[in-house]
Amino acid sequence: MTQTVQDGALENEAPGHDVLRLEGLHVSYKTAAGPVPAVRGVDLALPAGGRLGLAGESGCGKSTLAGAVLRLLPKSARVTGRILLDGEDVQTMTWGRLRAVRWAQASIVFQGAMHSLNPVRRVGDQIAEPILLHDKKVSRAAADRRVATLLDQVGLVAARAAAYPHELSGGQRQRVMIAMALACSPRLIVADEPTTALDVMIQAQILRLIGELVSEHGISLLMISHDLAVLAEHCDRLAVMYAGRIVEEGPADRVFADARHPYGRALADAFPRIGDAASRRGPRGLPGDPPDPAHLPEGCTFAPRCPITAEECLTAEPPLIAAGDGRTAACVRMDVLREGS
């Protein structure tokens, strides 16, 4: 995966090599007080079969970015830039073409399955619906057989197809959502905090299931979470988002273990590490809150919370630059951060 950065730090691959490519993506929302920026100039690429994690606190723009991929944002959203699925710009697709792309080329697993599933329809009918819509030649019997296969793949017996969402546990509902996402054999799955509402044991099972399925089927995965440790375990590369921008991107294990941006470092330090007594007894975390998107601070948006802020951080927002080990970071104080490691 590559990303556009200053000074030719990384060269862009040909767009045809990427299942998903974001180029200069900006998203703002119309409000009575004026437009509010949610995503600001994001450039990311996800190759075929790749797994990219997107991390950040609530309100940093992760879910807005996910919704923009398949034009699922409300009418109040204004989107500019390019969102390329297999080289085709989602922004310029007709509604007919967009309907054909959804589920069949790219699908989304949302945060809360109970809110995404129709409470008055059996889950088997809901899984079968995109299959029948996208392939008119498929009979209902063939669709039902496909549903049974999908349920088996996600660890549920075929008989659960007759259940209503309220008759299933949270983990089972999330498995149904994964089955729906796989129904039309997409090339890309966007998993937007797919385990947020689940307990830690079920969370581990669902994450392992997603990883196994995308690997088995060669599907590209964009996984969104606030949990850097989860993304580092399940993704090849990791992008850290703050105030609508990507502030660090690189190999997942390196970003988690040795972040080159102070925000990425703070996210990693917020989780206790096995074998590290100091972090177990006192995770460091990060004081304060992300800035209000409607009133972003001058200069680096992270400066008000940053422990290594200098005068130069207050005058201009730093661009992404090469940070070594195949990564980029938007910080002019990287050397100071590394010296303090």
Side-chain angles (χ1 to χ4, degrees):
M1 185 183 69
T2 61
Q3 187 168 7
T4 304
V5 298
Q6 265 199 348
D7 302 326
L10 293 172
E11 295 180 358
N12 290 322
E13 294 176 344
H17 293 180
D18 301 317
V19 170
L20 174 66
R21 192 176 186 89
L22 308 179
E23 297 180 351
L25 179 63
H26 289 261
V27 182
S28 62
Y29 291 101
K30 298 176 185 176
T31 71
V36 175
V39 175
R40 303 184 298 127
V42 168
D43 296 282
L44 283 174
L46 177 58
R51 295 179 296 177
L52 171 65
L54 184 63
E57 295 168 284
S58 296
C60 72
K62 306 186 304 297
S63 292
T64 290
L65 187 151
V69 170
L70 285 175
R71 278 168 55 183
L72 297 174
L73 298 178
K75 291 182 179 180
S76 60
R78 181 176 183 269
V79 182
T80 60
R82 297 210 301 170
I83 304 166
L84 303 177
L85 282 175
D86 284 322
E88 187 176 2
D89 194 346
V90 172
Q91 288 293 96
T92 60
M93 288 179 182
T94 64
W95 278 110
R97 175 58 183 154
L98 184 60
R99 288 173 62 190
V101 164
R102 290 173 176 171
W103 296 104
Q105 192 168 337
S107 57
I108 294 184
V109 179
F110 293 102
Q111 291 185 33
M114 195 61 181
H115 302 295
S116 302
L117 295 171
N118 188 328
V120 298
R121 295 186 65 201
R122 300 180 190 275
V123 296
D125 293 335
Q126 297 186 59
I127 298 171
E129 182 176 21
I131 299 172
L132 294 168
L133 286 174
H134 283 274
D135 191 345
K136 301 299 183 182
K137 297 179 181 179
V138 173
S139 66
R140 180 62 205 226
D144 288 342
R145 289 193 295 271
R146 171 70 171 153
V147 169
T149 299
L150 289 165
L151 289 175
D152 179 67
Q153 288 180 344
V154 299
L156 294 175
V157 297
R160 303 310 283 168
Y164 290 96
H166 71 273
E167 296 176 316
L168 302 176
S169 69
Q172 289 174 327
R173 287 194 293 266
Q174 204 63 28
R175 289 171 187 267
V176 169
M177 287 296 299
I178 296 169
M180 290 179 67
L182 292 169
C184 296
S185 302
R187 284 172 49 76
L188 168 69
I189 289 180
V190 179
D192 185 7
E193 306 235 26
T195 60
T196 297
L198 305 177
D199 64 66
V200 292
M201 294 297 291
I202 301 301
Q203 179 187 54
Q205 294 174 16
I206 295 298
L207 291 171
R208 184 166 57 250
L209 173 65
I210 292 174
E212 291 171 352
L213 289 172
V214 297
S215 296
E216 179 183 344
H217 296 282
I219 298 170
S220 298
L221 174 68
L222 174 60
M223 182 180 287
I224 296 171
S225 177
H226 62 277
D227 192 328
L228 217 64
V230 164
L231 296 177
E233 181 179 356
H234 295 279
C235 297
D236 309 316
R237 295 185 72 85
L238 180 58
V240 179
M241 197 169 187
Y242 188 79
R245 292 186 69 216
I246 302 299
V247 296
E248 183 166 2
E249 189 275 335
D253 56 345
R254 296 173 190 167
V255 173
F256 179 63
D258 182 28
R260 299 292 168 82
H261 190 283
Y263 181 60
R265 180 71 60 87
L267 286 180
D269 287 345
F271 300 93
R273 307 189 187 198
I274 296 175
D276 184 347
S279 71
R280 186 179 71 249
R281 293 168 184 162
R284 282 172 278 184
L286 183 65
D289 297 303
D292 180 350
H295 302 92
L296 294 174
E298 293 292 329
C300 176
T301 52
F302 185 63
R305 305 172 74 190
C306 182
I308 57 171
T309 300
E311 189 68 28
E312 58 187 321
C313 303
L314 307 177
T315 57
E317 195 160 38
L320 282 166
I321 58 175
D325 296 329
R327 71 176 90 177
T328 59
C331 182
V332 297
R333 303 272 286 167
M334 274 188 280
D335 291 343
V336 175
L337 185 67
R338 294 177 69 179
E339 289 172 2
S341 298

